[in-house]
Structures are given as C-alpha cells and as structure tokens.
Amino acid sequence: MSRRPAALGALVLTAALALTGCAAGTSEPDAAGGDDLGLVKAGTLTVATEGTYRPFTFHDETGELVGFDVEIIEAVAEKLDLEIEFAETQWDGIFAGLDAGRFDVIANQVSINPEREEKYLFSEAYTVSPSVVVVKEDDDSISSFDDLDGKKTAQSLTSNFYELAEEAGADVTPIEGWAQAVELLRQDRVDATVNDKLTFLDYEKTNGPTGLKIAAETDPARSAIAATKDKTALIEAIDGALAELREDGTLAEISEKYFGADVTE
C-alpha cells in the first residue's frame, strides 16, 4: 500500500512536460503558494524524475508513479504546503530540463559530487549507499573497480556511474537505464555494469535468483534533491522539511518500506 497521507492532496501528473512547457519566471506568481521560493508554477513543486528506476521512481501494477524518491519528495511537498507535479524525463536529458527551467528540482537518486556541486544546489542527503560493480555470477575476473580497466560496461552517459566506470578504464556502452544494462550483461555483450547497491538488492529481491552478483563496491555515496543555483530559498525550505521528516520518523518509515532498513543516514 502506497504511503501517501490523505492530507497531501497533491496533483500527480505522470506525463512528461512538453518542451514548450512553462519555463521558470514566465508566469506571474500568485500572492501565496510559495512564490518566494521561485517556483515554475506558484503553489506547485514541479519535480523531474525518471519513472523507470525501480525502487526509487517507477510505475506499480496499477500504473501509479511510486517509489522511494517519489514518496520522499511527496512528503517534502506536504511539509511545504505545496502541490506536486511530476515531469517524467529520461536521465540523459534531466539536467538539461532543469537548466531550461522546465522543473524546480530533480528527485531521482542524484549523487552529490564536486562537478555537480559547481553547477547545482543540493539538499541535505536523504540516501546513503555505495556504488557497486555487478557481474554475472560465474565471472571471477572482476573483484575491484581497478579490474574494470579494459572491460566493457553499460552505463547511462550522464550518470555518476558512467564517471566511475570511465575513471576505472572501462570501455563504456551507453544505455538508457538499469533494465537495459542488465539485459546487455545477460547477453554477454558487456562484462559489467556499475550502479547503486540498493538498485541491485531490489532487483535481486524482486527477480531472484538472477545469476548476477556484486563484485566490488565503493565507499557510500550521498544522494539528494538537486536544483539550479538560483533556488537557494527553495533548497533551504526543502532542507527544513527533510529535517522535520527525519525527526518525526517519516524518512526512516519510507526507507523501511522499500529496503527493510534505514538508508537515509
């Protein structure tokens, strides 16, 4: 059962925003509704997410957009007394859409790294999890990230995992997401894929036994809500909401629902 309080009253639109959609600052803000936060649409938090990245953001058997990140940002919007509108966007175009002002924030397991921090603002982290190298169960040729040197991996080009694989010397095949990476791995068209440990554990839990295994992992990475540099007030408000949600146990509750453990700190 999806954890959505009745008081939320949020409007959830699962269709992706068109390129001709409202850009930041193109509409006159209302007298109320969080207009001091610089929102694309007054009174509404417009959120970019993939909708295809289980268990963080995906569609359940009824077609409803659900997931760990989805419920986190819904709870944040409720705390801020804002409606919420989701813009489902492929990962490789998600930052371009943010830059163009088509949405306010990204909630899609965005890892905090120095390169991104130069260009974007981040909330306090709400997920702490390592990146892992996933290989076929009978492959013992990879036991560390260094072993990716010269190996073929499947990665989304704009993901943090792509950078990790490339830095290790891997020959990277560009793909759209986890499902495609697993398919290429199963077909022996790549040797490995790098992704979030929680993604792999959920995949194992849902589809196991899968014939795949974790060969290596990094130190835990932190993921947060991302916004453009002009959204200081919004990120500060989101941080306040996250602090309240952490204190009242909501973050831990959502985490337990999806992972059976608290992965939020």
Side-chain angles (χ1 to χ4, degrees):
M1 181 176 180
S2 178
R3 184 196 171 281
R4 288 200 174 89
L8 181 57
L11 175 62
V12 179
L13 299 182
T14 57
L17 292 180
L19 289 176
T20 55
C22 180
T26 58
S27 60
E28 291 295 324
D30 295 334
D35 46 303
D36 58 327
L37 301 179
L39 300 175
V40 171
K41 184 185 299 184
T44 298
L45 185 64
T46 306
V47 180
T49 196
E50 281 182 283
T52 57
Y53 188 27
R54 184 186 177 100
F56 305 107
T57 162
F58 65 102
H59 290 268
D60 65 15
E61 61 277 2
T62 70
E64 182 180 11
L65 181 64
V66 297
F68 176 70
D69 288 56
V70 171
E71 292 200 26
I72 293 289
I73 198 64
E74 285 177 337
V76 166
E78 182 187 11
K79 285 288 185 184
L80 298 180
D81 197 26
L82 296 172
E83 292 188 346
I84 189 164
E85 183 173 297
F86 287 101
E88 291 188 50
T89 307
Q90 287 187 353
W91 176 259
D92 288 348
I94 209 164
F95 283 99
L98 186 67
D99 293 338
R102 292 201 294 275
F103 23 80
D104 300 306
V105 297
I106 301 171
N108 202 100
Q109 284 298 293
V110 181
S111 299
I112 302 171
N113 63 34
E115 182 181 353
R116 288 175 181 160
E117 285 185 304
E118 287 182 4
K119 190 170 183 180
Y120 302 101
L121 296 176
F122 286 91
S123 70
E124 291 297 316
Y126 61 90
T127 315
V128 180
S129 177
S131 300
V132 296
V133 178
V134 177
V135 300
K136 295 185 76 171
E137 207 165 45
D138 59 357
D139 185 354
D140 295 323
S141 68
I142 299 173
S143 59
S144 69
F145 272 77
D146 289 341
D147 291 335
L148 291 178
D149 189 14
K151 299 284 190 179
K152 290 185 177 180
T153 71
Q155 313 297 152
S156 297
L157 286 177
T158 56
S159 71
N160 191 52
F161 309 121
Y162 174 88
E163 295 177 10
L164 287 172
E166 189 177 50
E167 287 170 3
D171 176 10
V172 179
T173 297
I175 46 92
E176 293 181 359
W178 169 252
Q180 189 179 0
V182 169
E183 187 64 22
L184 292 180
L185 186 55
R186 287 186 176 283
Q187 295 172 357
D188 292 320
R189 294 169 61 187
V190 297
D191 302 299
T193 185
V194 181
N195 212 293
D196 189 278
K197 184 175 184 178
L198 297 177
T199 299
F200 175 76
L201 293 179
D202 175 75
Y203 181 73
E204 280 281 297
K205 176 182 175 183
T206 305
N207 301 282
T210 63
L212 305 177
K213 68 178 181 180
I214 292 174
E217 63 181 64
T218 64
D219 292 332
R222 299 179 302 132
S223 296
I225 295 162
T228 50
K229 289 282 191 178
D230 60 332
K231 300 285 189 181
T232 302
L234 177 58
I235 289 296
E236 288 177 353
I238 288 172
D239 278 344
L242 286 171
E244 291 182 28
L245 293 166
R246 191 179 302 281
E247 185 175 352
D248 68 21
T250 300
L251 294 187
E253 181 183 340
I254 296 172
S255 184
E256 287 282 349
K257 171 181 173 179
Y258 285 96
F259 306 112
D262 186 0
V263 301
T264 65
E265 57 184 354

